[in-house]
Amino acid sequence: MITKYTSGNPINTEAVEEHFDAFSTEEFPLNHYIKNGKFIFEFDMQPDDIVYGLGEAPRGINKRGWIYESCCTDDPFHTETKSSLYAAHNFIMLNGIRKFGVFVDFPARIRWDIGYTLQNKTTVTIEGTDFDIYFITGDKPIDIVRQFRAAIGKSYVPPLWAFGYQQSRWSYHNSDAVDRVIEKYNEAQIPLDCVYLDIDYMDHYKDFTISEEAFPHFKEYVSEKRRQGIHLIPIIDAGVKKEDGYEIYEEGKEKGYFCKKADGSDFEAGVWPGMCCFPDFLDPEVREWFGGKYKVLTDMGIDGFWNDMNEPALFYSAEGIESALEKATKLKGENLDLSKFFGLKDTFAGLSNNQNDYASMYHNIGSKQVNHQCVHNIYGANMTKAAGEYFAKEFGEGKILMFSRASYIGAHRSSGIWFGDNHSWWSHILLCLKMLPSANMCGFLYCGSDLGGFNENATRDLVLRFLALGVFTPLMRNHSALGTRDQECYSFENPEDFRDIIQVRYRLIPYLYNAFRKASKNNDMLFRPLSFDYPDDSIARECETQLMLSEECMIAPVYEQNAKGRMVYLPENMTFLRLSGERVKKQELERGVHYIEVALNEVPLFVKKGKEVPLVKPVMRTAELNIL
Ligand code: GLC
């Protein structure tokens, strides 16, 4: 059962689709109070209780023992002591003797102290008093998830080819570079469906433009690639370059479509192209305008996009730079002691994503000026909505691949997400695994990490092990940052090992796509913590390195360097499959703990007794799978 409580005058985030009559928060069943204009609620936890949720967030599947913040943040260091990533997924669930879920529908900051200050207490601080809060009860965690998911609406389903293997890099600078990637994959006989175009395909990083020099005759080029079975996926950034004569900028300025400063002038901040203006995506008219701009690219045959920098990321403002330079000038010639030196360093480091800049940005909501900080967490989601609304109108559901970096619950209806700028670290294999069920609870089914890791240099074994997890993530994309070592599968020795892994993905696509569609249709999770399925099994309840996949399987990737395998816990008897290219090794394993050996070119998969997983012949492109 779901009960809605309303406090004050909430901004309509459109996260929830179902209608609920609202009660006053005075009746909210958890202990609550207002302090300094903030609504705080809290609950006690028994030592064995688990708290799930928060979608894309740092740390474990069980969120206990840390303090998190809902604040979409452009932070490329996903270390375990961070409190936010790029998303605000305000749903948590307590699983113990008491079971309930809570969704806080509030677009500004929320702090989730889940056993950080006091081990057995959760305290949630909503930084305001205008919000809706939904309290969800059910007998089992999955019942709570299903009710919540039914309330927020069906998850986005991408086209089938979006389940193919995807290669990305910042950047393939021109068409020759893209051609080379495709040729190399073909030569190595490694399946591939998509190649990504990062910011350099644009003319000076201007949205909806193409650099003629880098990609001449783009439309013909796109269709040539399509004939080769390859989809090109361009990036779209939130910031619009401030440049006289640039159509999008001129139009946005003239029509008043950009976010404003308090004095009514356009708010500006630096991103990749230098100074940018930021479309006010919270205004439906602006969404329609910006969404319609994707037509420039869909008219050229493009059918997939990734929306980026939409937290929004602000590298600097003119005011910020000015005061930092002033500070530096004042210190010129001085003997910089500890506080002066680090103060100076922090001033420059603090230029990016500075709270003062966000505080000087305003939106127009129903002809009222609203400060950005009050709606920060729905900015990116509304950029994606702009695109999603256009695609749905123009092409119908499920035709265009779309995923975003920033997100809020509700955006799961029109798009997927990727987990942003991770690192080529072994620990990030597990971070990806842990975010999958949490994201699924919040409706985001089409998701995945940058396989191989985005920042810093990857090793061959890391990429192989990362890909072996990626075989199961709906978005299977290898992406890496500017200046890092090449990370395409053919860049390493013995590319046939990579072929073995990626072919397994293609063998599983009919199964995975079907499982995905079912999960979307039934408001189910594609990935579940083991504790959902084996609530009375104390080992399963604690497991954070394995996941249940759909109704049939369990996955357990190898996540340590130089390991020939891993320990795995089977909560029931299962068939252990080692999949590699077209080869399958089978072993029946009994309930309990086992050490399993997994070679670098193998994908481990566990199938429950009495269940089956269909495997098809591998192909080079999803189109050859002949699935209608
Ligand atoms: C951001 C994105 C990353 C992209 C880069 C350049 O860091 O998260 O994926 O490659 O910008 O566009």
Side-chain angles (χ1 to χ4, degrees):
M1 184 167 126
I2 302 188
T3 316
K4 176 179 177 179
Y5 303 89
T6 296
S7 167
N9 252 324
I11 285 169
N12 184 7
T13 67
E14 294 180 23
V16 176
E17 277 199 331
E18 206 176 320
H19 172 78
F20 297 92
D21 291 329
F23 292 86
S24 147
T25 39
E26 274 165 33
E27 294 176 59
F28 185 61
L30 302 176
N31 189 32
H32 59 272
Y33 52 95
I34 293 175
K35 196 174 163 191
N36 301 331
K38 298 175 186 178
F39 185 92
I40 299 167
F41 70 87
E42 53 191 22
F43 56 87
D44 292 331
M45 302 176 289
Q46 297 302 309
D48 289 343
D49 287 359
I50 300 175
V51 178
Y52 305 107
L54 298 183
E56 181 192 287
R59 297 173 91 97
I61 297 174
N62 185 348
K63 306 313 280 186
R64 279 186 79 153
W66 194 241
I67 188 159
Y68 306 86
E69 225 168 356
S70 291
C71 178
C72 298
T73 307
D74 165 35
D75 181 343
F77 288 95
H78 307 173
T79 50
E80 62 183 63
T81 45
K82 290 293 164 70
S83 51
S84 324
L85 294 175
Y86 310 85
H89 298 157
N90 303 339
F91 171 76
I92 57 167
M93 185 189 349
L94 177 74
N95 180 22
I97 311 268
R98 280 194 311 165
K99 292 179 180 42
F100 57 79
V102 180
F103 171 52
V104 183
D105 193 6
F106 177 67
R109 231 173 247 260
I110 304 173
R111 271 156 39 102
W112 310 81
D113 179 340
I114 307 179
Y116 173 77
T117 304
L118 292 173
Q119 219 178 325
N120 292 324
K121 188 170 208 136
T122 289
T123 306
V124 180
T125 307
I126 304 172
E127 300 222 342
T129 50
D130 295 311
F131 58 86
D132 290 317
I133 194 163
Y134 296 81
F135 190 77
I136 311 157
T137 50
D139 290 340
K140 291 188 288 191
I142 194 68
D143 297 338
I144 293 173
V145 171
R146 285 195 189 119
Q147 291 179 67
F148 176 54
R149 292 271 305 281
I152 59 174
K154 293 270 175 284
S155 299
Y156 163 77
V157 178
L160 173 83
W161 54 262
F163 274 66
Y165 175 66
Q166 315 187 7
Q167 183 61 56
S168 185
R169 164 151 207 105
W170 175 15
S171 278
Y172 299 124
H173 279 91
N174 50 40
S175 54
D176 287 348
V178 171
D179 289 344
R180 199 181 120 84
V181 173
I182 300 167
E183 265 162 43
K184 287 280 193 184
Y185 269 94
N186 285 345
E187 235 171 74
Q189 286 292 295
I190 301 175
L192 177 72
D193 266 80
C194 304
V195 177
Y196 278 68
L197 303 181
D198 208 321
I199 46 175
D200 299 282
Y201 80 89
M202 295 182 244
D203 172 19
H204 294 89
Y205 313 127
K206 283 181 280 186
D207 278 341
F208 310 113
T209 66
I210 311 286
S211 157
E212 264 296 311
E213 206 182 307
F215 290 91
H217 313 294
F218 190 65
K219 189 171 179 182
E220 290 72 36
Y221 183 68
V222 175
S223 49
E224 182 192 303
K225 294 307 110 185
R226 284 298 292 282
R227 282 195 298 278
Q228 296 169 10
I230 300 294
H231 298 258
L232 296 179
I233 316 293
I235 196 168
I236 304 290
D237 285 334
V240 169
K241 183 174 188 196
K242 183 186 174 199
E243 183 184 279
D244 291 341
Y246 165 40
E247 188 191 305
I248 315 267
Y249 169 68
E250 293 286 1
E251 270 180 33
K253 186 170 78 163
E254 194 201 307
K255 299 199 164 128
Y257 283 168
F258 296 128
C259 292
K260 301 274 182 285
K261 293 207 287 202
D263 65 6
S265 62
D266 287 340
F267 169 84
E268 295 171 7
V271 204
W272 307 122
M275 270 305 159
C276 287
C277 286
F278 296 83
D280 188 355
F281 294 117
L282 273 57
D283 180 338
E285 192 180 322
V286 178
R287 281 205 298 278
E288 197 180 337
W289 166 72
F290 195 84
K293 296 296 173 197
Y294 286 76
K295 186 173 189 308
V296 172
L297 290 154
T298 53
D299 278 352
M300 295 195 196
I302 292 294
D303 52 4
F305 299 90
W306 45 317
N307 279 351
D308 193 23
M309 310 303 276
N310 49 0
E311 295 71 30
L314 309 176
F315 291 167
Y316 62 88
S317 63
E319 295 81 358
I321 291 271
E322 187 63 33
S323 82
L325 289 175
E326 221 170 85
K327 188 165 182 181
T329 315
K330 269 195 202 138
L331 290 173
K332 206 170 163 190
E334 271 207 41
N335 176 15
L336 300 182
D337 62 7
L338 188 149
S339 77
K340 281 185 187 150
F341 172 70
F342 285 101
L344 183 63
K345 206 171 157 207
D346 290 349
T347 302
F348 281 91
L351 281 174
S352 296
N353 306 322
N354 191 296
Q355 291 311 316
N356 293 334
D357 293 335
Y358 289 119
S360 61
M361 185 176 179
Y362 288 84
H363 298 266
N364 172 26
I365 302 181
S367 73
K368 255 187 29 210
Q369 287 268 321
V370 176
N371 188 267
H372 177 77
Q373 287 183 312
C374 304
V375 289
H376 176 73
N377 289 336
I378 53 171
Y379 184 77
N382 275 286
M383 174 191 184
T384 299
K385 198 164 157 194
E389 281 167 350
Y390 172 70
F391 299 150
K393 187 176 81 191
E394 204 61 26
F395 305 98
E397 302 287 322
K399 293 286 186 282
I400 306 285
L401 167 61
M402 165 93 258
F403 60 92
S404 169
R405 198 170 73 174
S407 63
Y408 185 85
I409 291 174
H412 70 285
R413 296 192 294 269
S414 51
S415 133
I417 47 172
W418 95 102
F419 300 146
D421 298 348
N422 64 355
H423 272 71
S424 295
W425 292 338
W426 287 86
S427 60
H428 278 186
I429 296 181
L430 277 189
L431 181 61
C432 171
L433 178 131
K434 291 172 188 186
M435 284 197 276
L436 291 167
S438 310
N440 280 192
M441 287 175 206
C442 299
F444 292 94
L445 294 182
Y446 190 77
C447 49
S449 288
D450 287 348
L451 300 172
F454 176 74
N455 290 296
E456 305 205 55
N457 294 333
T459 57
R460 176 179 185 272
D461 51 355
L462 175 76
V463 180
L464 281 162
R465 295 299 198 198
F466 231 130
L467 288 172
L469 168 61
V471 159
F472 302 105
T473 60
L475 167 65
M476 187 189 190
R477 181 179 79 141
N478 175 340
H479 180 47
S480 58
L482 188 69
T484 56
R485 178 186 191 186
D486 288 348
Q487 204 168 287
E488 296 77 14
C489 298
Y490 54 76
S491 314
F492 299 102
E493 61 197 292
N494 301 339
E496 58 276 14
D497 286 349
F498 291 83
R499 175 171 66 222
D500 286 341
I501 300 283
I502 293 169
Q503 279 187 338
V504 173
R505 165 66 164 218
Y506 281 71
R507 300 200 69 189
L508 284 165
I509 286 177
Y511 168 70
L512 290 172
Y513 194 59
N514 187 40
F516 183 97
R517 292 186 72 108
K518 260 194 340 208
S520 168
K521 183 162 167 266
N522 301 332
N523 299 316
D524 241 321
M525 293 162 71
L526 186 62
F527 298 102
R528 291 178 309 281
L530 269 57
S531 51
F532 271 48
D533 291 37
Y534 308 95
D536 303 322
D537 179 328
S538 58
I539 304 180
R541 273 177 73 84
E542 282 186 12
C543 184
E544 295 252 350
T545 64
Q546 306 169 201
L547 293 176
M548 302 312 294
L549 163 62
S550 196
E551 290 314 307
E552 296 77 15
C553 302
M554 183 179 81
I555 61 168
V558 178
Y559 53 87
E560 276 174 325
Q561 187 159 30
N562 302 317
K564 292 196 176 58
R566 58 165 286 170
M567 301 300 296
V568 68
Y569 175 64
L570 268 58
E572 60 176 293
N573 297 352
M574 289 184 186
T575 308
F576 170 40
L577 301 179
R578 273 187 288 171
L579 304 161
S580 182
E582 296 198 47
R583 298 173 300 278
V584 182
K585 288 186 204 150
K586 255 189 185 183
Q587 199 183 342
E588 299 304 329
L589 292 181
E590 307 230 308
R591 172 168 189 260
V593 178
H594 300 266
Y595 181 81
I596 53 156
E597 285 196 8
V598 184
L600 280 174
N601 66 342
E602 290 178 335
V603 178
L605 180 64
F606 299 83
V607 181
K608 295 210 268 190
K609 280 272 155 294
K611 301 286 185 189
E612 279 172 0
V613 171
L615 293 171
V616 298
K617 280 240 164 258
V619 290
M620 285 295 286
R621 308 278 184 260
T622 47
E624 297 162 34
L625 286 170
N626 284 326
I627 300 177
L628 296 175

